[in-house]
Amino acid sequence: MQEANLTGLVKTLFWIFFIIYALKFLARLFLPVIAKKVVEKATEQFQQQAQQNNQNQDTYTSSSKSDKPRETKKVGEYIDYEEVD
């Protein structure tokens, strides 16, 4: 049967802290690079979608201009109420 001893506990705590600080160090090195690449890719996709929407909108507006003009909806007349004393 094994018993827990102080040196085993100290070694375990050392490795836990070592791993935590190593991960923090690596995150400080690599996260800015990864974040920059993610932002660049998102910007590129946004620009591609904007171009596609622009092309689709140009086709839609050129075909819709030949249709009849849009009608404006009338909601009703505005009534201004006054407070009676």
Side-chain angles (χ1 to χ4, degrees), residues 48-81:
Q48 287 176 355
Q49 285 179 349
Q51 287 175 352
Q52 288 175 354
N53 287 342
N54 238 355
Q55 290 171 354
N56 291 342
Q57 188 178 13
D58 290 343
T59 338
Y60 177 74
T61 53
S62 64
S63 66
S64 66
K65 286 183 180 178
S66 62
D67 296 341
K68 56 185 174 182
R70 293 177 49 188
E71 298 179 16
T72 57
K73 295 181 181 179
K74 293 188 177 182
V75 179
E77 70 179 69
Y78 177 74
I79 301 172
D80 188 19
Y81 292 100

Side-chain angles (χ1 to χ4, degrees), residues 9-23:
L9 176 67
V10 171
K11 284 182 182 179
T12 304
L13 290 175
F14 169 76
W15 281 109
I16 290 173
F17 285 118
F18 177 76
I19 290 171
I20 289 172
Y21 282 109
L23 289 175

Side-chain angles (χ1 to χ4, degrees), residues 7 15 24 31 35 39 50 59 74 85:
T7 58
W15 281 109
K24 282 185 179 181
L31 280 181
V39 168
T59 338
K74 293 188 177 182
D85 291 329

